[in-house]
Amino acid sequence: MKYCSNCRAEVTFDIPDGDNRHRHICHSCDTIFYENPRIVAGTLPVFDGRILLCKRAISPRKGFWTLPAGFMENGESTEQAALRETWEEAAARPALGSLYSMITVPHINQVHIFFLADMPAPEFAAGPESLEVALFTPAKIPWEEIAFPTVSETLRRFIAGASGPHVFDIRPDQALHAGSD
């Protein structure tokens, strides 16, 4: 950030009085710009023991499989965001269950939240952000083609029968990646 979005003056990157972190500060209008993590909300939709996955039609990780999820919008709850993203990416309307995993990804300033979701029928279709949508038995999940470590870890814990909620973080120095144990 170079200029203040309020008054257009140049901003500095300093530690404000009484704070302990560097922030963008406009000394002209005394505005401090706080940057906070973004929330990704989604579902782990299940029908008859099979898990619904979406093949991404967008970057990052275009062509890789993921759970239906995306960035939460202002004015919605995490539950609303998870259901909206499931509809947008998979044209599915599952019944939302309990929180299953909440994963902090500090190196990219995100928190990923996945809710269990029961699909009453195998009704789904690819939305504009998906190339393909399919139900997978646990044995047929394309592990080497899973888009994100948060999805991989959520799926592994679910398949292992671990009850949630699971709260953990993933850092770049850890050996967690799609297809790992």
Side-chain angles (χ1 to χ4, degrees), residues 60-122:
R61 308 291 285 162
K62 182 178 179 179
F64 284 79
W65 292 94
T66 189
L67 291 168
F71 289 110
M72 185 173 159
E73 299 288 347
N74 289 336
E76 63 184 359
S77 68
T78 53
E79 295 89 342
Q80 290 168 329
L83 288 172
R84 176 185 51 76
E85 287 290 341
T86 302
W87 174 252
E88 288 177 2
E89 294 185 9
R93 294 209 184 268
L96 198 64
S98 62
L99 173 67
Y100 189 74
S101 64
M102 182 175 72
I103 308 125
T104 305
V105 193
H107 63 282
I108 57 171
N109 303 318
Q110 294 180 2
V111 177
H112 294 204
I113 298 171
F114 294 100
F115 293 90
L116 290 175
D118 182 51
M119 294 178 62

Side-chain angles (χ1 to χ4, degrees), residues 5 24 37 85 122 125 136 151 153 156 164:
S5 59
H24 289 98
E85 287 290 341
F136 290 89
V151 172
E153 288 301 309
R156 287 184 187 288

Side-chain angles (χ1 to χ4, degrees), residues 43-47 50-53 67-68 86 92 94 115-119 135:
T43 60
L44 196 165
V46 179
F47 175 77
R50 296 177 290 164
I51 300 165
L52 185 70
L53 296 177
L67 291 168
T86 302
F115 293 90
L116 290 175
D118 182 51
M119 294 178 62
L135 289 168

